């Protein structure tokens, strides 16, 4: 099938190349010329494990192209909307400009029988509105909502092996059947392997995505609230998470206490969800998400306080090494990164901060030019008074505390992600501190 993918960020670029793997002919459209040039040359514009190989393989098949001209989307049967919906400046609501612009431009190439399949995370009600617009301009063209649940760092695997498919279909039964058949054809190998599929209406499909991300955010903030209590009582949040996680109804995943969630999705999605609930007169239903957000933000402040405590009550002039800048490991994404937030707070309060990250230094330097950056943990930690591990890259989890101890001035480590082997670090003579755990 001929397919177009509008928007070639983390979501769209991976989706485009993955659809080629599934046997289709795909054109990826993006307004950013540099991004399109890189993708055409087989270079990923972002760090995502396995994506370079997938991209080159797909380009090699001759069935993948990228363009800045939406006219090249003409002739495609399904058009996937993969543009971003960031938070509006100064507001909780999602900024829908990119979705609106993408649909506006698509209207010029849409043909009756084509399907616009939205993947972007949008406020509930968007698909129905777009469906009306599309039907008014191109009678016979349809809109479906087909949310995406990929995680950065696992984007390729999650796209090719999703744990479920969700189709939000048009209200008219005949249109719904057409849209479902088209999506089934797109995802044929995934459907054939028995992947659970939920077919529903537009609104439910849109809400599935925001509800899922809100649940994940709530789970993280729940364990971080427990961490606050552990700090007040001397209990241990890691053991607490292990113990409650054995209950299958609760589950251990997403119960890692630490610096909390960041990135381009969870923080802005819970805020946009609250804003939308307010517009719908149902704001009370989601007021708990404000607390989820508050708990999350408090962890960043607590981390700075913990650093001050460890540094004998003052940050002034202290050399601090920050290991990790990306919002999570295996990504170069620094959007709302808790690690950089803490690094910047420390710097603004008088510490001399040097940040390192295996993939995100270039992005970080552009956004935070006043911070110092280093290529390796050893360089960042040279003569440091404290080392903060704020993103749990494998390289940092596997650091040898004995050898690393020779680099620093003071062997003090703050484990912002509860990811280090506490016993090994303390045995090597380090003062080890972590959120939600006793000092040792
Ligand atoms: C998230 C969702 O997990 C995806 O399912 C969804 O498709 C995606 O948003 C999206 O909306 O596009 P992602 O932002 O890539 O994916 O990252 P997550 O793996 O969810 O992690 C989010 C943040 O939570 C990270 O900062 C991570 O460090 C933090 N986290 C995660 C914790 O603090 N504790 C945990 O136990 C798990």
């Amino acid at each position: 099938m001929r397919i177009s993918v509008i928007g070639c960020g983390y979501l769209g670029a991976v989706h485009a190349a993955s659809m080629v793997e599934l046997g289709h002919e795909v054109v990826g459209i993006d307004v950013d010329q540099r991004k399109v040039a890189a993708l055409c040359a087989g270079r990923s514009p972002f760090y995502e494990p396995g994506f370079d190989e997938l991209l080159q393989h797909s380009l090699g098949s001759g069935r993948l192209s990228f363009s800045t001209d939406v006219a090249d989307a003409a002739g495609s049967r399904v058009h996937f909307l993969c543009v971003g919906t960031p938070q509006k400046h100064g507001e909780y609501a999602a900024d829908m400009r990119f979705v609106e612009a993408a649909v506006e431009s698509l209207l010029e190439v849409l043909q009756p029988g084509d399907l616009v399949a939205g993947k972007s995370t949008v406020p509930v009600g968007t698909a129905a509105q777009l469906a009306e617009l599309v039907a008014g301009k191109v009678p016979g063209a349809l809109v479906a909502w087909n949310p995406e649940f990929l995680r950065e760092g696992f984007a390729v695997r999650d796209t090719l092996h999703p744990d479920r498919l969700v189709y939000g279909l048009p209200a008219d039964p005949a249109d719904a059947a057409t849209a479902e058949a088209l999506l089934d054809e797109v995802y044929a190998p995934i459907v054939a392997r028995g992947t659970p599929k939920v077919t529903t209406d537009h609104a439910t499909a849109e809400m599935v995505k925001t509800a899922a991300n809100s649940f994940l955010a709530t789970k993280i903030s729940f364990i971080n609230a427990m961490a606050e209590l552990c700090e007040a009582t001397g209990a241990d949040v890691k053991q607490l998470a292990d113990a409650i996680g054995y209950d299958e109804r609760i589950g251990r995943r997403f119960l890692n206490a630490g610096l909390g969630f960041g990135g381009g999705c969870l923080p802005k999605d819970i805020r946009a969800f609250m804003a939308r609930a307010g517009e719908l007169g149902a704001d009370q239903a989601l007021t708990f998400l404000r607390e989820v957000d508050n708990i999350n933000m408090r962890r960043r402040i607590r981390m700075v306080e913990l650093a001050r405590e460890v540094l004998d009550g003052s940050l002034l002039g202290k050399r601090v090494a920050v290991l990790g800048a990306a919002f999570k490991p295996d990504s170069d994404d620094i959007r709302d990164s808790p690690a950089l937030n803490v690094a910047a707070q420390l710097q603004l309060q008088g510490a001399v901060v040097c940040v390192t990250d295996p993939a995100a230094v270039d992005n970080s330097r552009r956004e935070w030019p006043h911070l110092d950056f280093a290529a390796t943990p050893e360089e960042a930690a040279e003569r440091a008074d404290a080392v903060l591990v704020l993103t749990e890259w494998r390289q940092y989890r596997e650091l040898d505390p004995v050898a690393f101890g020779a680099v620093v001035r003071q062997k003090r480590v703050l484990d912002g992600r509860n990811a280090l082997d506490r016993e090994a670090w303390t045995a090597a003579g380090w003062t080890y501190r972590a959120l939600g755990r006793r000092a040792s």
Side-chain angles (χ1 to χ4, degrees):
M1 190 192 288
R2 282 185 70 179
I3 288 173
S4 85
V5 174
I6 316 295
C8 292
Y10 291 93
L11 166 59
V14 176
H15 190 68
S18 298
M19 294 305 101
V20 172
E21 283 306 291
L22 296 188
H24 306 295
E25 186 179 333
V26 182
V27 57
I29 310 283
D30 200 288
V31 291
D32 183 338
Q33 226 151 34
R34 281 203 354 236
K35 202 180 279 178
V36 166
L39 288 165
C40 286
R43 271 184 290 111
S44 167
F46 46 81
Y47 178 90
E48 181 62 45
F51 180 57
D52 272 314
E53 294 82 345
L54 176 75
L55 178 64
Q56 280 153 23
H57 189 254
S58 301
L59 283 168
S61 73
R63 286 183 283 109
L64 177 62
S65 58
F66 293 95
S67 165
T68 52
D69 187 357
V70 77
D72 291 324
S76 294
R77 192 74 201 282
V78 176
H79 306 268
F80 284 103
L81 276 184
C82 294
V83 294
T85 51
Q87 187 176 342
K88 266 189 195 166
H89 280 299
E91 280 181 54
Y92 269 16
D95 185 343
M96 297 298 289
R97 269 180 305 173
F98 304 113
V99 173
E100 285 156 10
V103 173
E104 204 56 48
S105 65
L106 258 184
L107 288 175
E108 289 160 30
V109 301
L110 273 185
Q111 295 292 322
D114 284 1
L115 176 70
V116 178
K119 286 207 152 292
S120 310
T121 304
V122 292
V124 54
T126 304
Q129 246 175 29
L130 294 180
E132 217 177 283
L133 175 75
V134 165
K137 294 273 165 64
V138 188
L142 301 174
V143 172
W145 221 260
N146 171 222
E148 178 59 56
F149 306 100
L150 69 81
R151 298 157 298 167
E152 287 177 27
F154 299 92
V156 173
R157 195 171 86 193
D158 286 352
T159 305
L160 288 170
H161 299 274
D163 47 18
R164 77 283 212 190
L165 292 167
V166 176
Y167 298 174
L169 301 170
D172 176 82
D175 290 346
T178 308
E180 182 175 357
L182 280 169
L183 288 172
D184 276 349
E185 194 180 331
V186 170
Y187 296 123
I190 297 172
V191 175
R193 85 170 82 94
T195 306
K197 185 176 99 178
V198 179
T199 52
T200 181
D201 50 72
H202 284 151
T204 307
E206 292 166 318
M207 266 192 67
V208 166
K209 176 60 195 259
T210 33
N213 276 1
S214 297
F215 188 86
L216 294 173
T218 304
K219 204 169 174 191
I220 298 168
S221 276
F222 174 82
I223 200 64
N224 282 331
M226 294 305 111
E228 289 188 1
L229 269 158
C230 287
E231 283 155 22
T233 58
D236 187 295
V237 74
K238 204 167 176 180
Q239 289 183 323
L240 178 96
D242 288 344
I244 64 172
Y246 284 122
D247 184 333
E248 279 178 11
R249 294 168 304 172
I250 296 174
R252 181 64 177 81
R253 295 176 74 189
F254 270 69
L255 277 187
N256 294 321
L259 254 193
F261 59 83
C265 302
L266 262 44
K268 65 102 177 157
D269 285 352
I270 61 169
R271 294 175 195 150
F273 205 17
M274 284 186 267
R276 185 67 185 131
E279 286 168 7
L280 295 166
D283 44 340
Q284 267 193 334
L286 296 187
T287 42
F288 76 95
L289 286 179
R290 189 165 312 160
E291 211 41 56
V292 165
D293 206 355
N294 278 329
I295 294 165
N296 192 52
M297 291 317 232
R298 278 207 297 272
R299 293 287 77 190
R300 304 176 185 189
I301 297 166
R302 174 70 189 128
M303 194 70 213
V304 175
E305 287 315 315
L306 194 59
R308 198 194 315 279
E309 226 174 278
V310 167
L311 289 162
D312 307 320
S314 171
L315 293 169
L316 285 179
K318 299 287 168 57
R319 295 179 70 87
V320 175
V322 167
L323 275 48
F327 85 102
K328 66 187 267 190
D330 296 314
S331 173
D332 64 352
D333 194 344
I334 58 160
R335 286 176 294 173
D336 198 4
S337 162
L340 281 176
N341 181 303
V342 168
Q345 286 190 64
L346 292 169
Q347 172 98 348
L348 287 168
Q349 294 181 37
V352 181
V353 180
C354 190
V355 181
T356 186
D357 189 281
V361 164
D362 288 346
N363 285 346
S364 306
R365 207 194 302 271
R366 265 193 298 277
E367 293 278 321
W368 302 87
H370 56 284
L371 290 169
D372 285 336
F373 293 95
T376 65
E378 288 75 17
E379 250 176 80
E382 212 182 309
R383 289 181 298 115
D385 297 299
V387 175
L388 275 62
V389 179
L390 302 186
T391 311
E392 70 278 31
W393 284 89
R394 189 180 46 78
Q395 292 91 316
Y396 305 155
R397 284 190 270 119
E398 291 176 356
L399 273 174
D400 172 5
V402 177
F404 200 56
V407 177
V408 297
R409 184 151 60 196
Q410 301 272 359
K411 288 201 233 174
R412 298 163 173 150
V413 64
L414 277 74
D415 182 0
R417 293 288 178 184
N418 278 312
L420 303 179
D421 178 347
R422 173 162 70 176
E423 281 65 40
W425 284 77
T426 46
W430 289 75
T431 301
Y432 173 96
R433 297 296 302 272
L435 297 171
R437 304 182 82 188
R438 271 189 306 278
S440 60

